[in-house]
Amino acid sequence: MRTTEQTLKHAWHTIAAGSDLLDDAMFPPTGTSLDQYKERVSHAGDLFLLLDEDGTVRGYRGSGWEDFATRDHDQVLYFVAEQAVHDLAEHIVAHSPGRGPAVNLVSGQAELLDRINPAWGSRYRDGGINDLEGARTARPCGRDPLERFAWVAREWRDQDPYTVLTFFRGENVSAEQIALLHGADPDQVASGTSLLDLRGRDDFGREHWDTAWETFCFGEAGGWAFLLYNDTPDGVLADSVALARLGVTETVRLTATSAKAIYTFDYERDGRDIDDNRGMLELIWYKRGRAPYYRGGQLDFLNRALRRAELDHPELLHDFELYFHALEVSLGLQLPRQDVKEGTVRAAQWARGDADRG
């Protein structure tokens, strides 16, 4: 059956009539062009359905980004219900005595969807993709969510320990080679200099924040090499070709600019940006209970990991902690907390002169 506005509204009316939670007014505005989206959607979080002539339904939300595209009739109705229960859950939680807006928001949405259609509740818990289309999420992690990587999230919003966290993965990737490629002092790399060593060598009485801009940390954890820094001396980074020569096949780069409240996530694999053609990905797009990336797209694995993190760890009240935990679970990102905190992590200063960066 071809999906049209009439068939969708009729199907939604049938679902709403059999539910004590839904009504016809919850069905989102529809149209055939993005101009209508701009005219009819007043709130950034509202859903708009754009119907193509071939029966494809495209969901738009936020700043005009396409959230999903499908010809699956049931999938469209699920996404409409997901929007409706999100609004309901926010209202219920916000007006529950003694409960902040983060507590039980996600589990509450799952329970509301269970009441409408148990299959939809299950789909929501698995990240919102039809079971026939996507892989199911992993089992609950069952451990401290801040143990391996997310411990850095809250402090990182204030650019501590560094403004840029970069990770590199591939066959036989060496953190030392990557550090040298980015302009590390070769003598310090060879001697195994630590961050504590560099702090002790500061003979000019400068504050830690001043010296931090002249140094960076590096090492290996969780199968990734990492490089943490504030800025390179000339703002030049090693390009993907040079990294590929070292065996790097994946890179993750997280940047924080707290003064502008901009926090970005860049993921590259086999020389290609993994971003669903959205360009720069800002972490503030993530809102608890919503999937921040295109459904069924290149980053949908992170949508599913975020949902798992939300359900497993409602005690995490900071969204960045949930996001970083999802990165750790889905990609394996880790940082050695004790080494960074105590200064025993490997470190170097930027080399002076014309070091070869490949």
Side-chain angles (χ1 to χ4, degrees):
M1 178 176 63
R2 182 171 177 266
T3 301
T4 65
E5 181 177 0
Q6 182 177 1
T7 59
L8 286 174
K9 286 186 173 180
H10 178 74
W12 181 257
H13 174 77
T14 301
I15 293 170
S19 170
D20 60 345
L21 297 173
L22 307 177
D23 58 47
D24 289 343
M26 292 176 173
F27 193 81
T30 63
T32 56
S33 74
L34 279 180
D35 289 337
Q36 293 170 311
Y37 164 78
K38 298 172 184 177
E39 293 171 359
R40 302 189 63 184
V41 174
S42 57
H43 188 273
D46 290 344
L47 179 64
F48 176 83
L49 301 180
L50 190 152
L51 278 67
D52 291 346
E53 291 183 359
D54 65 358
T56 300
V57 180
R58 304 180 187 277
Y60 287 84
R61 184 185 288 113
S63 301
W65 287 116
E66 185 175 296
D67 192 52
F68 64 85
T70 181
R71 296 185 186 181
D72 186 323
H73 194 88
D74 177 70
Q75 187 78 339
V76 176
L77 294 173
Y78 163 78
F79 284 132
V80 174
E82 189 183 78
Q83 171 74 40
V85 300
H86 180 274
D87 296 341
L88 282 172
E90 278 194 331
H91 178 81
I92 292 169
V93 172
H95 292 80
S96 298
R99 294 178 180 270
V103 179
N104 292 335
L105 175 62
V106 180
S107 60
Q109 290 178 70
E111 291 165 4
L112 291 173
L113 283 166
D114 282 337
R115 287 169 57 181
I116 301 168
N117 183 338
W120 285 358
S122 176
R123 188 182 304 180
Y124 178 79
R125 291 181 178 89
D126 286 335
I129 288 295
N130 191 314
D131 291 344
L132 297 177
E133 297 175 6
R136 299 176 69 87
T137 53
R139 294 181 179 180
C141 68
R143 55 177 171 75
D144 181 356
L146 304 181
E147 178 184 7
R148 300 182 183 180
F149 182 54
W151 63 268
V152 76
R154 194 179 303 189
E155 296 174 356
W156 183 71
R157 294 194 65 165
D158 295 321
Q159 299 176 251
D160 182 23
Y162 291 91
T163 60
V164 184
L165 315 177
T166 53
F167 300 84
F168 310 85
R169 182 161 65 178
E171 187 175 356
N172 299 320
V173 169
S174 164
E176 291 186 351
Q177 289 181 331
I178 287 175
L180 291 169
L181 180 66
H182 284 79
D185 184 295
D187 293 337
Q188 293 172 349
V189 172
S191 64
T193 301
S194 71
L195 183 60
L196 201 60
D197 293 332
L198 293 179
R199 290 173 180 169
R201 292 179 188 177
D202 182 13
D203 300 325
F204 302 99
R206 291 174 295 182
E207 296 293 332
H208 164 62
W209 181 249
D210 295 325
T211 58
W213 285 83
E214 299 178 4
T215 64
F216 63 92
C217 300
F218 64 94
E220 298 176 14
W224 293 80
F226 63 82
L227 197 68
L228 318 178
Y229 59 92
N230 286 318
D231 196 9
T232 58
D234 54 7
V236 176
L237 295 175
D239 62 31
S240 58
V241 175
L243 288 169
R245 288 203 295 265
L246 295 182
V248 174
T249 56
E250 293 177 85
T251 63
V252 172
R253 187 168 186 259
L254 296 152
T255 64
T257 309
S258 58
K260 298 181 179 179
I262 297 175
Y263 312 94
T264 63
F265 163 70
D266 297 285
Y267 178 37
E268 186 176 296
R269 187 171 61 221
D270 296 325
R272 295 175 53 251
D273 291 327
I274 307 300
D275 59 8
D276 292 318
N277 297 317
R278 291 190 177 187
M280 184 176 69
L281 303 173
E282 292 191 37
L283 271 62
I284 57 174
W285 288 353
Y286 167 57
K287 303 296 181 184
R288 190 180 303 248
R290 290 199 186 279
Y293 303 116
Y294 185 80
R295 307 298 186 93
Q298 295 174 312
L299 291 169
D300 198 50
F301 71 90
L302 190 48
N303 287 334
R304 296 194 297 271
L306 279 164
R307 184 58 40 76
R308 186 71 266 162
E310 291 166 343
L311 292 168
D312 288 350
H313 303 291
E315 75 279 7
L316 296 183
L317 301 184
H318 291 264
D319 290 348
F320 275 29
E321 290 176 340
L322 282 172
Y323 191 101
F324 276 34
H325 179 63
L327 286 176
E328 185 261 302
V329 170
S330 60
L331 290 173
L333 299 187
Q334 295 184 32
L335 280 177
R337 183 174 192 171
Q338 186 173 352
D339 291 350
V340 173
K341 291 290 186 181
E342 296 181 358
T344 57
V345 64
R346 294 283 300 279
Q349 293 173 298
W350 302 113
R352 305 301 180 185
D354 56 351
D356 178 17
R357 297 190 183 191

